[in-house]
């Protein structure tokens, strides 16, 4: 580690680049950045928030010159600690570079593509594309509120929108530390911007380039062109997608912070009029048959298909209610600021031994608010264990409705209804609210709950036994099991709220053995972070990108030491 005097010199250099207010060193100020939303935390020398691409390059150069570890962070919405420090056993000081001020979005090629800077959020991108009647790779209900565009690419996230697959591009502008320990800028964005880093970054940020500078025939993809084919192969004995799929690791895509990304170029997608069906059943076989029809027999892929188990429905309805209502009333753009404010309040309360008080207050307030979910959804909750929300393109609605009527005509196991516009919107928003509900439950039941074991897994495409049955000795250690996920691609999120005194890490490792026996891949879309072990192909990707182990070290439980020692 650096001597104190060297650390102070590094901090002073960073202040000279970005200004004192954008270099945070006190624990209370850095807490929001060095602590994961659900998992992971550690110490940092400083959190730095550059205000331009050139400043980001200069900060990066200063950190590399000072032999610091660099962690790149956009929105810090990840669930596996993948963009925060983890522990205090680093062999060099850690500088965390927050890209939240670098929010630029440039629409190119008549809206067919965009170039996004490091701090661009999916919410903001969605709004930018409205005039073009187009959408980004992910939209509300398929992505984390406040999530960044670059974070999705770097983590191979997403896939809820069935036609679009995981976030992916082969067109990016990024910096890396090469084998000789030198910082270099790699321009594979497909835009001619000049030669030097200073020229390239300045021209890009000010959009000082011409239409003729954009290269459109390079042969490089700006989205996952083959995913639509892959997900339809419902008889294949392998998952449709998973985080460490070697065929979807390409430079910035799947890099997990092992390089410093300055921009990515991505395809956009036509906004398609659609309608929603809500299915409930007590037989998981019903959902399997519906899935096979939607993927094999429908002329066009569905837009989305989200699964919710009854327990997840209930926990989400009670403990995700404030998230649901906040978005309903104020929209998604306000959510990141609300999280930041809550974090500051929580930090203050923790000083006085009142950890979790804000969550209990929020829970109490929402308890007295009227029921926020549609009556027909709640009626299905009472009748059925398994729930599926399907979004279908308008021209396929009649065929889907006809199939569902025939399928359930003589079956007592389940039923469906064709949602109104409000019901459809609320069904998908509820599915989103479920994703954060386990955290709220934990934080309001500290005396009974040890923690959450959170897994996101990709089952085989031909797996008909997708409902998990745990051994009794494991089941007895769990308060609640929340199952929900992206059903059409067989990617499931499984949150286990474990009893007080249970070792969550030991429980997770037991879960891994069960998943291995089922032929599952994990994680499916949330990055290995510091929670999972990076498999050989993913580790090789990291080492190729970052031969000196200077960026986001320890990710995937790899070495934290310089040069991967």
């Amino acid at each position: 580690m650096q001597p104190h005097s060297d650390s102070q010199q590094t901090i002073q250099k960073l202040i000279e680049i970005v200004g004192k207010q954008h270099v945070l060193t006190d624990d209370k100020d850095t807490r929001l950045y060095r602590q994961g939303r659900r998992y992971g935390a550690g110490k940092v020398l400083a959190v730095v928030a550059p205000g331009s691409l050139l400043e980001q390059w200069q900060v990066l150069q200063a950190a590399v010159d000072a032999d610091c570890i660099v962690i790149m962070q956009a929105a810090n919405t990840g669930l596996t600690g993948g963009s925060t420090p983890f522990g205090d056993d680093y062999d060099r000081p850690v500088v965390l570079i927050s890209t939240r001020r670098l929010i630029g979005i440039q629409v190119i090629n008549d809206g067919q593509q965009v170039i996004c800077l490091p701090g661009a959020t999916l919410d903001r991108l969605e709004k930018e594309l409205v005039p073009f009647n187009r959408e980004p790779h992910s939209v509300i209900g398929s992505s984390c509120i406040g999530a960044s565009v670059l974070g999705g690419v770097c983590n191979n996230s997403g896939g809820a929108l069935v036609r679009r697959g995981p976030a992916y591009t082969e067109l990016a502008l990024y910096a890396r530390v090469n084998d000789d320990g030198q910082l270099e800028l790699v321009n594979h964005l497909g835009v001619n911007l000049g030669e030097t880093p200073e020229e390239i970054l300045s021209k890009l940020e000010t959009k000082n380039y011409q239409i003729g500078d954009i290269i459109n025939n390079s042969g490089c993809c700006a989205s996952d062109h083959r995913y639509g084919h892959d997900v339809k192969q419902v008889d294949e004995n392998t998952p449709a997608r998973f985080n460490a799929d070697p065929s979807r690791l390409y430079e910035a895509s799947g890099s997990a912070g092992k390089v410093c990304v300055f921009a990515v170029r991505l395809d956009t997608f036509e906004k398609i009029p659609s309608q929603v069906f809500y299915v409930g059943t007590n037989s998981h076989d019903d959902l399997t048959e519906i899935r096979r029809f939607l993927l094999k027999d429908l002329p066009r892929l569905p837009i989305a298909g989200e699964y919710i188990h009854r327990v997840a429905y209930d926990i989400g309805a009670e403990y995700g209610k404030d998230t649901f209502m906040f978005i309903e009333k104020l929209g998604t753009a306000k959510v990141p600021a609300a999280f930041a404010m809550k974090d500051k309040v929580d930090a203050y309360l923790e000083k006085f031994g009142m950890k979790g008080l804000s969550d209990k207050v929020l829970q109490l307030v929402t308890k007295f608010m009227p029921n926020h979910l549609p009556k027909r959804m709640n009626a299905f909750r009472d009748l059925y264990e398994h729930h599926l929300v399907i979004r279908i393109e308008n021209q396929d609605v009649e065929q889907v409705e006809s199939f569902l009527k025939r399928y359930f005509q003589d079956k007592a196991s389940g039923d469906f209804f064709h949602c109104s516009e409000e019901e459809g919107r609320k069904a998908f928003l509820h599915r989103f609210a479920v994703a954060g509900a386990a955290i709220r439950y934990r934080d309001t039941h500290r005396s009974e709950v040890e923690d959450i074991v959170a897994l996101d897994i990709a089952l085989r495409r031909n797996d008909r036994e997708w409902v998990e049955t745990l051994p009794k000795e494991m089941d007895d250690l769990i308060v609640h099991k929340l199952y929900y996920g992206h059903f059409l691609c067989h990617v499931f999120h499984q949150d286990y709220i474990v009893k007080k005194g249970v070792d969550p890490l030991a429980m997770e490792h037991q879960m891994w053995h069960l998943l291995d026996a089922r032929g599952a891949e994990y994680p499916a879309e949330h990055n290995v972070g510091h929670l999972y072990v990076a498999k050989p192909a993913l580790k090789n990707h990291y080492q190729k990108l970052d031969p000196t182990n200077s960026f986001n070290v320890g990710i995937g439980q790899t070495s934290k030491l310089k040069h991967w020692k």
Side-chain angles (χ1 to χ4, degrees), residues 276-278 306 308 324 373-374 377 389 419 422-432:
V276 175
F277 290 94
Y278 198 99
E306 294 295 298
I308 312 174
F324 183 105
L373 296 177
M377 279 176 58
V389 192
C419 294
E422 181 185 20
E423 286 173 327
R425 177 174 52 79
K426 287 189 173 184
F428 275 95
L429 183 51
H430 178 54
R431 157 62 186 87
F432 178 84

Side-chain angles (χ1 to χ4, degrees), residues 117-143:
L117 304 192
T121 63
L122 286 166
D123 179 78
R124 187 180 178 96
L125 178 55
E126 194 173 348
K127 290 180 174 63
E128 290 279 345
L129 291 173
V130 167
F132 300 90
N133 195 38
R134 298 185 73 81
E135 293 179 329
H137 164 268
S138 296
V139 296
I140 173 63
S142 71
S143 57

Side-chain angles (χ1 to χ4, degrees), residues 37 121 123-124 127 140 144-147 322-323 325-342:
R37 179 162 297 186
T121 63
D123 179 78
R124 187 180 178 96
K127 290 180 174 63
I140 173 63
C144 193
I145 296 294
D322 60 327
T323 298
M325 298 184 81
F326 188 98
I327 295 170
E328 272 277 285
K329 301 297 182 186
L330 299 175
T332 58
K334 303 284 186 184
V335 175
F339 272 121
M341 178 60 71
K342 182 180 179 296

Side-chain angles (χ1 to χ4, degrees), residues 191-212:
V191 184
N192 293 319
L193 295 165
E195 299 298 327
T196 68
E198 291 76 13
E199 184 183 11
I200 291 168
L201 297 171
S202 298
K203 277 190 171 183
L204 176 61
E205 186 154 28
T206 58
K207 204 176 179 181
N208 185 20
Y209 55 88
Q210 307 302 315
I211 292 176

Side-chain angles (χ1 to χ4, degrees), residues 234 288 291 459-466 490 518:
V234 294
T288 295
R291 172 178 174 265
L459 296 181
R460 295 168 297 174
R461 283 168 281 182
N462 65 353
D463 197 340
R464 290 176 174 268
E465 298 305 318
W466 50 269
H490 261 197
R518 296 174 68 188

